[in-house]
Amino acid sequence: MSTETLLQLEQRLIEEAQPFAVVTVIRAAPPTSAWVGAQALVEGDGALHGWIGGGCSRSIVIEAARQTIRAGQPKRVRISNEPGRPEADVEAHAMPCASNGTLELFIQPTLPTPMVLILGATPTALEACVLAQRVGLRVGAAASVTAPLAALGLPWVMQGFDAAAFDQTEPQSILVATQGDNDEDALEAALRSTAAAVLLVASERKADRLRDAMRLRGITPERLAALRSPAGPHIHARTPQEIALGAVAGLVTLRRELQQQAAAAEVDALHLVSGETVPALSPCETSASIETPRARYLNPVCGMAVDPASAKHVIDYGGERVYFCCDGCKLEFERAPDKYLAIAQGRAQLEKT
């Protein structure tokens, strides 16, 4: 896949609000078929596009990329059997191929911009819609009367307050800025949605009254715990613009808190200790388990030597028997056999020169 095509794929995934990670080779020590600057893109479901080396390291790269997507944090990954001191900021994996090459990668995730719903068509709500977009949030809105929202060009506007409709947008948070316009209906719908948090623009006294009203409407204590009021930090706000500024600051604070929680949860799930080598995933046979080849045959995917007499991973293609060091390389070859045969022919020509 060309760089241009990767860029086009990135743009499409961004437009579709789908997560992905870009993997860039920042170091490659032979024997390896990757090169510095080679790139691949890994989607949230693990689909890999592009080229960052042979099939031996493929499963490691995909899982590492998916981890960065879940955590929302970039990482450096080294796949190598070279001795060396552990580095706290590098995730180390054993190179599963007997070729013993080295790959060092930088993985940068891109996550969909969180969706925030702002309820109300008050001056504060309108200002909050504008400010939230300026800080990089995707914004939708709902109000009893939507005419004031029309000029904002929002991608999603709804008349009325309905939790099921809110959930169709998968909101990370909801800001209730109705300020007297169907407050209870708006707040109830927000709390019955799946939003991680509901921020309420209201005085302390009014917020307490609305909490009592929500209890009478059957809102559970667990969901009431998701209610935050005041909506943001205390900045002595008086005007609608100032109140909106404080509320949007609350949305930004919530976004960063959730990112930190996701990163911490991913680390806990991996049970990583700083500097510890992470076991390789789906490893090929190691060099200790492979005898010195009696007949030299180069794996067309990763370039390592394979003994045809003892190879366990073999397929027939185009009237030719093709041998591999591991199942990962075999699966990669089956995805694009003509490409890898051409690469193998190129290697053979280089060896003759």
Side-chain angles (χ1 to χ4, degrees), residues 39-171:
Q39 285 191 317
L41 183 149
V42 178
E43 297 186 54
D45 62 1
L48 184 145
H49 310 270
W51 178 252
I52 37 76
C56 293
S57 57
R58 180 185 178 88
S59 58
I60 297 174
V61 172
I62 290 175
E63 181 56 28
R66 296 184 74 184
Q67 289 169 6
T68 69
I69 291 171
R70 290 192 292 267
Q73 299 290 330
K75 69 165 71 175
R76 284 172 59 198
V77 173
R78 181 182 296 124
I79 307 173
S80 176
N81 293 327
E82 292 179 347
R85 297 176 60 184
E87 297 180 56
D89 62 341
V90 178
E91 181 179 295
H93 293 260
M95 171 59 78
C97 275
S99 58
N100 277 331
T102 293
L103 279 178
E104 191 163 331
L105 313 161
F106 180 73
I107 306 178
Q108 176 67 56
T110 296
L111 305 181
T113 303
M115 169 63 83
V116 171
L117 294 184
I118 298 177
L119 309 188
T122 62
T124 296
L126 299 178
E127 291 289 344
C129 287
V130 174
L131 289 174
Q133 291 181 97
R134 287 183 177 175
V135 298
L137 297 170
R138 287 187 299 138
V139 178
S144 300
V145 178
T146 59
L149 299 167
L152 300 180
L154 301 176
W156 190 90
V157 175
M158 172 187 172
Q159 184 170 8
F161 307 111
D162 180 78
F166 293 171
D167 285 344
Q168 292 178 6
T169 69
E170 299 181 350

Side-chain angles (χ1 to χ4, degrees), residues 168-248:
Q168 292 178 6
T169 69
E170 299 181 350
Q172 182 185 77
S173 57
I174 297 178
L175 173 64
V176 180
T178 46
Q179 295 180 294
D181 180 17
N182 293 314
D183 293 335
E184 292 187 11
D185 290 344
L187 184 57
E188 180 183 2
L191 289 170
R192 292 193 184 280
S193 76
T194 57
V198 176
L199 284 64
L200 174 64
V201 175
S203 66
E204 182 178 353
R205 179 180 296 180
K206 184 174 182 179
D208 288 341
R209 184 185 65 77
L210 287 171
R211 284 192 181 91
D212 291 339
M214 293 302 101
R215 293 187 185 96
L216 293 175
R217 291 190 178 208
I219 300 298
T220 65
E222 290 77 16
R223 282 306 288 164
L224 276 175
L227 177 60
R228 298 188 179 192
S229 185
H234 182 55
I235 59 172
H236 302 281
R238 293 184 178 181
T239 68
Q241 293 84 357
E242 293 170 347
I243 296 170
L245 177 62
V248 172

